[in-house]
């Protein structure tokens, strides 16, 4: 790491420092224009406003974020936005948002999103797109919930699902291995007591947990900035990630409890089924093509945990597994994502789109 700038790098570094300090930043953080097409408690569906005519052979894409993390992940900054990229290819592009989570939402469980919020959003998008089937793109828990929704309601108008950094086997998450002995010792009571007392996981706690997953980068951040003072793209990306991290939401208490017990302690989903309240969801009911993308340096969703989904969806007509450079957010919205994750999503959507004539009939 070169902390001493060579003379030829100093003018660029000076310009970057001036813009960051005096002009308020380097990243273009303007959100891609969008408008609401559907709204209800904990469900807002947006359609991004394209600057060009949609392709007649392009199906609508619905971006599904996880709980707690802001949907900015799909629209991190201008020039590094999956939403912007999909629209440039002519896809009618939509976004699902859940809104802020309050203490009063502590009784909401995962089934609220899996059986109500996401299925309703899919139907609204299909209706807005003239009845066309929807292509789902989910990140992290958003990908898991999207696939569970398809399994719960196989008749949903869904054409395919692309999952990015979505782990289906918590035993493969090495970052949690140090917690399991304490969990075993207390019989899970410690974790239960914490999330019940807090009514879930408050936003500040979620933010700190996300930062700790890249603790080494967090510690070396000042040195990284100094060594890249002349690299405008690097600094702009850090600025956008900082805004993303500062925008974390809370987890509802009941949902946090389900994630803790069903995903972490019992690891029920790794067997392909999940019991959510009175609903038993079996991933074997998934009968659409699925793409699963993992990040090489992702400690939240390592490759083996992400690609475990292939064993759980035996009736999917096609399953494609890919691994690219980046961590949990970087694999979706990093500077190299355009050449890896986005390109794989483009190929996957094109490969599994219905014939042009069939699409016209649906519209």
């Amino acid at each position: 790491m070169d902390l001493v700038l060579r003379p030829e790098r100093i003018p660029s570094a000076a310009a970057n420092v001036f813009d960051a300090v005096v002009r308020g930043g380097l990243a273009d953080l303007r959100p891609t224009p969008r408008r609401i097409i559907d709204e209800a408690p904990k469900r807002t569906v947006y359609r991004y406003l394209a600057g060009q005519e949609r392709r007649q052979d392009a199906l609508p894409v619905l971006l599904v974020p996880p709980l707690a993390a802001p949907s900015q992940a799909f629209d991190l900054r201008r020039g590094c936005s999956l939403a912007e990229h999909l629209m440039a290819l002519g896809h009618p592009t939509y976004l699902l948002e859940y809104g802020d989570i309050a203490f009063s939402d502590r009784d909401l469980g995962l089934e609220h999103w899996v059986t109500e919020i996401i299925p309703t959003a899919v139907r609204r998008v299909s209706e807005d797109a003239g009845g066309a089937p929807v292509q789902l793109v989910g990140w992290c828990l958003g990908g898991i919930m999207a696939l569970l929704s398809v399994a719960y309601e196989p008749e949903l108008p869904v054409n395919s699902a692309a999952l990015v950094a979505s782990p289906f086997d918590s035993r493969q998450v090495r970052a949690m291995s140090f917690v399991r002995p304490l969990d075993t010792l207390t019989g899970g009571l410690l974790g239960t007591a914490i999330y019940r007392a807090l009514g879930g996981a408050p936003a500040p706690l979620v933010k700190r947990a996300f930062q700790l997953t890249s603790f080494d980068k967090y510690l070396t951040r000042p040195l990284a900035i100094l060594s890249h003072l002349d690299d405008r793209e690097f600094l702009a990306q850090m600025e956008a990630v900082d805004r993303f991290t500062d925008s974390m939401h809370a987890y509802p208490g009941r949902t946090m409890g389900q994630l803790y017990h069903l995903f972490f302690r019992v690891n029920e989903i790794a067997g392909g089924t999940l019991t959510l309240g009175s609903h038993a969801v079996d991933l074997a009911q998934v009968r659409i093509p699925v793409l699963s993308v993992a990040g090489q340096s992702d400690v939240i969703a390592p490759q083996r945990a992400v690609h475990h989904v292939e064993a759980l969806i035996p009736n999917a007509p096609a399953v494609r597994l890919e691994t690219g450079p980046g961590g949990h957010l970087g694999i979706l919205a990093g500077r190299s994502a355009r050449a890896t994750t986005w390109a794989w999503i483009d190929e996957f959507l094109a490969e599994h789109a219905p014939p042009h004539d069939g699409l016209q009939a649906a519209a």
Side-chain angles (χ1 to χ4, degrees):
M1 187 177 293
D2 188 4
L3 298 181
V4 179
L5 293 176
R6 294 190 298 273
E8 63 270 18
R9 297 170 58 191
I10 292 177
S12 295
N16 290 341
V17 171
F18 178 83
D19 287 345
V21 175
V22 178
R23 295 184 174 176
L26 302 173
D28 187 346
L29 300 177
R30 293 173 300 158
T32 302
R34 61 190 189 181
R35 73 174 183 86
I36 296 173
I37 67 161
D38 179 63
E39 191 172 22
K42 304 303 171 226
R43 185 189 77 239
T44 303
V45 182
Y46 296 91
R47 181 176 65 199
Y48 288 101
L49 304 179
Q52 60 186 39
E53 292 294 323
R54 60 163 285 190
R55 281 174 27 212
Q56 291 302 310
D57 61 338
L59 294 180
V61 176
L62 174 60
L63 305 175
V64 183
L67 299 170
S71 61
Q72 294 166 0
F74 294 112
D75 192 25
L76 194 65
R77 63 184 176 97
R78 294 294 177 94
C80 200
S81 163
L82 178 58
E84 188 179 54
H85 171 78
L86 289 169
M87 285 196 304
L89 295 179
H91 290 282
T93 306
Y94 299 78
L95 173 70
L96 172 62
E97 279 196 348
Y98 315 119
D100 292 330
I101 300 297
F103 185 78
S104 58
D105 298 316
R106 62 190 179 277
D107 293 330
L108 293 178
L110 272 175
E111 61 271 17
H112 181 65
W113 282 271
V114 169
T115 68
E116 297 180 36
I117 298 298
I118 294 176
T120 303
V122 167
R123 287 189 286 268
R124 296 294 179 269
V125 168
S126 178
E127 291 167 4
D128 189 74
V134 178
Q135 301 175 116
L136 299 174
V137 177
W139 175 56
C140 187
L141 180 60
I144 297 174
M145 295 193 303
L147 204 62
L148 288 171
S149 294
V150 172
Y152 170 76
E153 195 172 334
E155 66 274 16
L156 275 176
V158 174
N159 186 73
S160 63
L163 319 178
V164 181
S166 299
F168 285 82
D169 184 359
S170 70
R171 298 294 170 182
Q172 305 298 330
V173 183
R174 294 189 301 273
M176 299 302 295
S177 60
F178 72 95
V179 179
R180 289 199 170 90
L182 180 60
D183 175 79
T184 301
L185 182 64
T186 63
L189 294 178
L190 179 60
T192 301
I194 292 174
Y195 71 72
R196 283 184 177 175
L198 298 175
L205 182 61
V206 175
K207 173 183 174 180
R208 294 294 176 237
F210 185 81
Q211 289 174 328
L212 286 173
T213 61
S214 301
F215 189 60
D216 54 339
K217 293 182 179 179
Y218 189 69
L219 288 178
T220 59
R221 174 189 168 86
L223 296 179
I225 293 175
L226 286 174
S227 64
H228 291 84
L229 277 180
D230 63 324
D231 188 339
R232 194 175 189 87
E233 275 294 298
F234 179 88
L235 298 177
Q237 185 73 2
M238 290 193 71
E239 184 181 321
V241 171
D242 285 346
R243 183 189 65 158
F244 168 85
T245 305
D246 288 338
S247 303
M248 290 289 180
H249 303 298
Y251 277 109
R254 177 171 167 75
T255 295
M256 189 64 194
Q258 290 170 317
L259 292 174
Y260 177 63
H261 288 284
L262 300 180
F263 283 65
F264 172 66
R265 297 196 70 241
V266 181
N267 200 22
E268 183 179 339
I269 196 171
T273 61
L274 198 66
T275 303
L276 300 174
S278 60
H279 307 284
V281 184
D282 186 353
L283 288 172
Q285 296 299 315
V286 172
R287 292 181 171 84
I288 58 170
V290 174
L291 166 68
S292 176
V293 179
Q296 292 173 349
S297 55
D298 191 342
V299 299
I300 296 177
Q303 178 184 352
R304 290 178 64 183
V306 170
H307 289 172
H308 181 67
V309 69
E310 182 181 30
L312 310 180
I313 49 176
N315 296 313
V319 181
R320 177 174 174 176
L321 307 178
E322 297 287 356
T323 304
H328 198 56
L329 178 61
I331 189 63
L332 175 72
R335 292 188 294 165
S336 64
R338 181 182 297 274
T340 55
T341 303
W342 298 3
W344 295 326
I345 291 175
D346 296 343
E347 293 168 2
F348 175 75
L349 297 183
E351 181 180 357
H352 297 289
H356 182 63
D357 291 343
L359 181 59
Q360 284 184 321

